[in-house]
Amino acid sequence: MSVLEQTVTVGLLFSTTGAYAALGREGLAGAQLAVQALNASGTLPFRILAEHRDPHGITERYAGMAAEIIATGARHIIGCTTSWSRKEVIPVLEKHDATLWYPCPYEGFECNEQVVYLGACPNQHILPLLQHILPRFGNNGYLVGSNYIWGWETNRIARDIIEQSGGSVAGERYAPLGDADLGHILRDIRLKRPDFVLNTLIGPSSYSFLEAYHALGEADPDFSMEKRPVVSCNLAEGEAALLGHKAAGLYTIAPYFQALRTSANQHFLGQLDATSQPVSAFFAQAYSAVQLLVAGLLAAETEDGRSVLASLNQATPSTPLGPLQIMAANNHAVLTPHIARVTASGALAIIEQRDEPIAPDPYLAHTSLVVSAADRVRAGSNLRVVK
């Protein structure tokens, strides 16, 4: 059925309270801005009606709320932040033949025809991040994460990369979502003195850890970020701004940073209130999800998910992240990850901007995990410190 001259209902499923509320709020705001901009553009033959549901960070609520959204007539939902929430929603999508546009980085090892994966998968985040870090600091790492699938799987892949590259893992510790009492982990890190720490904690747990690591660096200069940095695949601009100098020196990776100097990003930023919070990859990827969905709807002239994706795969719509292509083989986005470092003011400054995109390999079936000796030699001592 054609969607021309109709109202198209699109679901938004983001938590604005709970352990990862900051990320949910950013994703919701990005999607809402895109809906507003497209409705106001005067270029659409239909109006987008956004139906938002807020599970408040309670995983068990996601499936029911996804069903509620679908009952309003929506065939497409943008949202979910954690992999737990995404996995809760998938059976509902399969039952009703609906599509989830998932805008967050995740740990990989999944491919579902009802999900479009717009966030980075492991060969687009943890692998290029460690390819940058290991040659510069050493391959003796410490892994700390939130006690759920993102932390488990990202740290497992990191362990494989470290060990296959001739290094070792000094320790691996987990904390419940939202737990801010992490003193025992800091004491273990101080005892074992790794070359770097991979932080896969989220929300308040991550903030508490970074504040404590900053305090450790002030008490013992051997744990300064210049010597033994913390690295992350999921620290966003808003979180860095909140932490300020306490996160200064942290390395992170994403397919979007506000500092990207591209015409597409400048146009995107021009739509924002100059007094608004820093723009993160979560915000930009949710915004881009709406753009891609609408491009697919226009091309397919139907809300059927398979038709939308088939039409979309014939084009590369321009987004804040640049032109985006969805791989037909796995429904994952082709992304160009960049590496940034937190400055003393809490901004994220790009220190390695890639020009070539990376095709998604969610199962790491075609990706070497080894950081070679040649890579280490090339890196040499070219550490660039952002003041």
Side-chain angles (χ1 to χ4, degrees), residues 80-139:
C80 296
T81 300
T82 67
S83 286
W84 269 353
S85 61
R86 186 189 68 254
K87 289 179 182 295
E88 285 288 312
V89 164
I90 285 175
V92 179
L93 303 171
E94 293 173 338
K95 180 178 181 179
H96 297 283
D97 196 23
T99 302
L100 174 69
W101 298 71
Y102 183 65
C104 299
Y106 88 114
E107 65 287 337
F109 297 91
E110 182 180 292
C111 180
N112 189 286
E113 62 183 355
Q114 310 296 146
V115 182
V116 183
Y117 303 84
L118 288 170
C121 63
N123 75 308
Q124 297 166 323
H125 58 66
I126 186 62
L127 180 56
L129 177 63
L130 292 184
Q131 284 173 333
H132 184 93
I133 294 297
L134 267 60
R136 290 164 172 80
F137 292 98
N139 53 8

Side-chain angles (χ1 to χ4, degrees), residues 35-358:
V35 169
Q36 292 165 8
L38 286 163
N39 279 338
S41 69
T43 62
L44 300 184
F46 53 82
R47 179 176 175 273
I48 308 166
L49 175 63
E51 282 280 348
H52 174 231
R53 296 293 186 276
D54 186 346
H56 300 292
I58 300 172
T59 304
E60 294 76 14
R61 291 183 177 176
Y62 277 85
M65 289 188 171
E68 286 181 19
I69 289 172
I70 293 169
T72 69
R75 297 289 299 279
H76 298 269
I77 298 173
I78 297 164
C80 296
T81 300
T82 67
S83 286
W84 269 353
S85 61
R86 186 189 68 254
K87 289 179 182 295
E88 285 288 312
V89 164
I90 285 175
V92 179
L93 303 171
E94 293 173 338
K95 180 178 181 179
H96 297 283
D97 196 23
T99 302
L100 174 69
W101 298 71
Y102 183 65
C104 299
Y106 88 114
E107 65 287 337
F109 297 91
E110 182 180 292
C111 180
N112 189 286
E113 62 183 355
Q114 310 296 146
V115 182
V116 183
Y117 303 84
L118 288 170
C121 63
N123 75 308
Q124 297 166 323
H125 58 66
I126 186 62
L127 180 56
L129 177 63
L130 292 184
Q131 284 173 333
H132 184 93
I133 294 297
L134 267 60
R136 290 164 172 80
F137 292 98
N139 53 8
N140 178 32
Y142 193 103
L143 314 178
V144 56
S146 291
N147 191 29
Y148 82 116
I149 191 169
W150 162 257
W152 304 333
E153 288 298 297
T154 304
N155 285 349
R156 180 185 64 80
I157 296 165
R159 177 182 287 275
D160 287 345
I161 295 169
I162 291 168
E163 292 180 349
Q164 290 185 37
S165 300
S168 61
V169 174
E172 185 171 355
R173 297 289 184 274
Y174 294 92
L177 283 170
D179 187 1
D181 183 11
L182 305 175
H184 62 294
I185 296 177
L186 271 296
R187 289 190 292 273
D188 196 47
I189 289 172
R190 188 169 192 177
L191 176 67
K192 294 179 177 175
R193 312 183 81 79
D195 296 326
F196 67 92
V197 178
L198 173 62
N199 170 24
T200 57
L201 296 160
I202 67 169
S205 299
S206 180
Y207 313 152
S208 294
F209 176 79
L210 290 171
E211 289 172 354
Y213 197 86
H214 171 75
L216 174 59
E218 287 192 325
D220 183 349
D222 203 36
F223 285 88
S224 71
M225 286 283 199
E226 307 302 329
K227 187 165 186 179
R228 302 178 194 272
V230 176
V231 305
S232 172
C233 298
N234 62 328
L235 189 86
E237 268 90 345
E239 297 173 306
L242 177 69
L243 289 161
H245 71 281
K246 293 180 180 177
L250 177 142
Y251 290 84
T252 188
I253 187 168
Y256 177 87
F257 290 107
Q258 187 170 348
L260 279 175
R261 294 183 178 89
T262 64
S263 57
N265 190 39
Q266 292 307 308
H267 175 75
F268 167 60
L269 294 174
Q271 300 180 57
L272 306 178
D273 183 345
T275 63
S276 63
Q277 291 294 312
V279 180
S280 72
F282 297 99
F283 185 106
Q285 286 163 192
Y287 182 100
S288 299
V290 177
Q291 287 185 302
L292 262 69
L293 169 57
V294 169
L297 291 169
L298 290 171
E301 297 189 348
T302 175
E303 294 184 61
D304 174 71
R306 290 171 183 80
S307 300
V308 168
L309 280 172
S311 299
L312 189 59
N313 284 329
Q314 299 171 17
T316 54
S318 181
T319 72
L321 285 68
L324 277 188
Q325 178 187 3
I326 305 300
M327 293 288 287
N330 55 33
N331 276 10
H332 286 65
V334 178
L335 297 172
T336 305
H338 313 289
I339 295 174
R341 206 169 183 210
V342 181
T343 68
S345 65
L348 282 170
I350 297 173
I351 61 169
E352 183 177 293
Q353 183 166 333
R354 295 180 63 104
D355 297 320
E356 294 298 321
I358 298 177

